[in-house]
């Protein structure tokens, strides 16, 4: 009998999470209620930011960040090519152009070098934002990226769905991803594969009260209540969206957030077990490179595999893993290769992104994995590669 398939990632929902949702369902508010603010406060405190604004999902968080910065059609936003589609698409939602940055082929991250190179391709467009992605959960080199962005007249917006719980050490200071000390905003997602889950859900953190207020207005149709106005009165200075995260999902988020220390510790322990178990598979299999400053809570257990040296293909390995009950995924197909972006910007030469894409594979990593699962995955990988 075959064992159940281990997915590359999945949520951990426990009885008290279910009880928290049931309690919210019995309350007076299904959507805009007190749990929204409670979740926002707890989240801001967890990541060390002054403000957190909950929203419908991570993509909405990115869109709101572009709107809050007032990014205009024809302006430019820099995003790495190795990321989920949404990081680039949010610029297009406001009519801005995406300038794709290359990534380091070993870590998959945008670096100061790849950002500097992307800055040479602005072609006269005004740069408004640079969107570093803490791919897999490892932190980008934020101080250097922020300095380059500032020199170019832009701000950082960290796309941080992979990095909830990650800390980084630049010089002597330890910082938490999401505390936005180098950036205008950071965005998060609570999709089921991410570190905490609400089904759909997202968050923007910022230390700027005016940006936080703008995010709140834009997330609910652009409606404001003029001070002293009649009780039924609202005004819309500019149209926004319905990007609210309902009270009932914020109840789930609040319950999940309490478990972050436990989820993080489990992810760290599993990642450490992987590093040890994978070591004998070098040099054909190597874990993604960890930058010196990064103390990650990994979202993805990404490895780089020299399929050619093993005399096989990624497709064959993915299928062989699946036959042994091991799910895997590729994070990511370079976004600049998508038909839409090729049509817009033509073929780009981003060798770091291509090299990363040629070798990357994400293995199962989530808190609910059993202790023996890492050995099982690595044994399956070893067999699939004929090592
Ligand atoms: C998950 C994710 C998003 C989008 O989040 P959704 O909640 O699915 O909309 C954006 N960027 C990155 C890097 C992600 O991993």
């Amino acid at each position: 009998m075959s064992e159940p398939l281990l997915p590359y990632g999945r949520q951990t929902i426990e009885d008290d999470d279910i009880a928290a949702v049931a309690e919210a369902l019995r309350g007076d508010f299904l959507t805009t209620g007190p749990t929204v603010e409670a979740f926002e406060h707890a989240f801001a405190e967890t990541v060390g930011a002054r403000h957190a604004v909950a929203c419908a999902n991570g993509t909405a968080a990115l869109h709101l960040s572009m709107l809050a910065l007032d990014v205009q059609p024809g302006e430019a936003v820099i995003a790495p090519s190795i990321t989920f589609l949404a990081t680039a698409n949010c610029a297009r939602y406001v009519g801005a152009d995406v300038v794709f940055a290359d990534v380091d082929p070993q870590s998959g991250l945008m670096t100061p070098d790849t950002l500097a190179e992307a800055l040479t391709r602005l072609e006269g467009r005004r740069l408004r934002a640079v969107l570093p992605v803490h791919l897999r959960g490892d932190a980008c080199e934020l101080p250097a990226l922020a300095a380059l962005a500032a020199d170019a007249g832009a701000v950082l917006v960290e796309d941080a769905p992979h990095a909830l719980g990650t800390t980084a050490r630049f010089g002597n200071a330890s910082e938490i991803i999401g505390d936005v000390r180098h950036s205008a905003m950071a965005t998060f997602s609570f999709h089921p594969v991410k570190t905490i889950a609400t089904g759909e859900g997202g968050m923007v953190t910022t230390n700027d009260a005016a940006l936080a207020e703008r995010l709140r207005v834009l997330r609910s149709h652009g409606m404001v209540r003029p001070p002293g106005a009649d009780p039924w009165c609202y005004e819309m200075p500019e149209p926004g969206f319905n990007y609210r995260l309902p009270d009932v999902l914020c109840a789930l988020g609040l319950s999940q957030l309490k478990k972050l220390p436990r989820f993080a510790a489990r992810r760290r322990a599993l990642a450490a077990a992987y590093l040890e178990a994978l070591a004998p598979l070098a040099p054909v299999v190597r874990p993604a490179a960890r930058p010196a400053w990064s103390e990650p809570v990994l979202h993805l257990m990404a490895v780089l595999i020299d399929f050619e040296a093993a005399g096989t293909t990624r497709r064959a390995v993915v299928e062989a893993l699946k036959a042994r009950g091991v799910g895997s995924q590729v994070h990511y197909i370079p976004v600049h290769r998508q038909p839409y972006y090729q049509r817009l910007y033509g073929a780009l030469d981003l060798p770091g992104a291509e090299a990363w894409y040629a070798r990357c594979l994400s293995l199962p990593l989530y808190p609910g994995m059993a202790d023996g699962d890492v050995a099982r995955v690595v044994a399956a990988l070893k067999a699939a590669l004929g090592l």
Side-chain angles (χ1 to χ4, degrees):
M1 211 186 80
S2 69
E3 295 180 78
L5 184 79
L6 296 170
Y8 82 83
R10 67 159 287 149
Q11 70 277 18
T12 302
I13 301 291
E14 297 165 322
D15 286 348
D16 55 344
D17 297 308
I18 294 166
V21 172
E23 194 190 324
L25 284 171
R26 287 192 200 95
D28 292 331
F29 305 95
L30 287 186
T31 184
T32 307
T35 318
V36 179
E37 255 180 66
F39 182 37
E40 290 177 338
H41 273 128
F43 194 90
E45 195 165 312
T46 298
V47 301
R50 237 168 264 152
H51 311 278
V53 179
C55 59
N57 52 60
T59 305
L62 286 162
H63 187 189
L64 287 171
S65 75
M66 294 294 102
L67 293 165
L69 289 174
D70 232 346
V71 178
Q72 294 297 309
E75 295 183 330
V77 168
I78 293 179
S81 182
I82 298 296
T83 183
F84 184 57
L85 302 169
T87 319
N89 290 351
C90 70
R92 299 298 301 147
Y93 297 163
V94 295
D97 271 319
V98 186
V99 175
F100 287 103
D102 205 1
V103 300
D104 176 275
Q106 308 300 326
S107 69
L109 299 174
M110 182 200 287
T111 66
D113 284 346
T114 66
L115 174 55
E117 190 279 327
L119 288 168
T120 68
R121 290 187 273 114
L122 294 177
E123 292 169 7
R125 289 166 295 202
R126 180 182 175 207
L127 180 70
R128 298 298 310 282
V130 175
L131 273 63
V133 176
H134 304 297
L135 191 77
R136 309 170 286 97
D138 264 321
C140 292
E141 195 174 353
L142 290 170
L145 296 177
L148 282 166
D151 280 349
V155 293
L156 295 187
V157 175
E158 299 168 67
D159 190 19
H162 296 189
L164 181 56
T166 289
T167 57
R169 191 171 285 279
F170 302 106
N172 289 325
S174 180
E175 30 193 280
I176 309 171
I177 295 300
D179 72 8
V180 287
R181 68 180 75 186
H182 306 286
S183 60
M185 286 170 274
T187 62
F188 293 87
S189 160
F190 312 124
H191 179 279
V193 297
K194 309 289 163 78
T195 305
I196 65 167
T198 63
E200 299 286 351
M203 193 74 81
V204 185
T205 62
T206 182
N207 289 330
D208 181 326
L211 277 179
E213 180 54 26
R214 221 169 130 63
L215 290 164
R216 285 182 210 288
V217 170
L218 288 162
R219 122 183 117 176
S220 195
H221 306 284
M223 289 159 72
V224 294
R225 201 174 283 285
D230 292 325
W232 62 85
C233 183
Y234 52 81
E235 280 180 359
M236 190 192 73
E238 60 176 326
F241 293 80
N242 181 350
Y243 277 167
R244 295 185 302 259
L245 185 62
D247 206 68
V248 66
L249 291 184
C250 288
L252 178 54
L254 198 52
S255 175
Q256 287 268 296
L257 192 60
K258 290 190 187 120
K259 302 167 186 212
L260 180 60
R262 174 158 56 92
F263 289 173
R266 183 72 183 145
R267 282 182 179 273
R268 284 184 160 141
L270 290 164
Y274 263 119
L275 292 191
E276 197 178 320
L278 287 167
L281 276 57
V284 173
V285 180
R286 280 173 298 107
R290 172 176 306 176
W293 53 82
S294 180
E295 293 157 349
V297 171
L298 288 185
H299 158 57
L300 299 171
M301 189 63 220
V303 296
L304 297 169
I305 302 176
D306 188 342
F307 296 100
E308 221 165 88
T312 185
T313 63
R314 180 159 52 196
R315 185 182 178 127
V317 170
V318 166
E319 281 167 1
L321 286 173
K322 193 170 174 207
R324 289 177 166 82
V326 175
S328 61
Q329 187 52 278
V330 170
H331 296 97
Y332 292 96
I333 300 167
V335 181
H336 76 273
R337 280 199 185 190
Q338 292 297 337
Y340 171 78
Y341 285 112
Q342 290 223 28
R343 216 160 54 233
L344 265 184
Y345 304 130
L348 297 177
D349 182 25
L350 300 176
E354 296 297 344
W356 169 269
Y357 171 60
R359 292 192 171 187
C360 70
L361 194 67
S362 300
L363 304 174
L365 181 65
Y366 52 93
M369 284 172 72
D371 284 335
D373 284 342
V374 168
R376 189 181 135 201
V377 171
V378 174
L381 182 62
K382 191 165 181 250
L385 290 166
L387 293 173

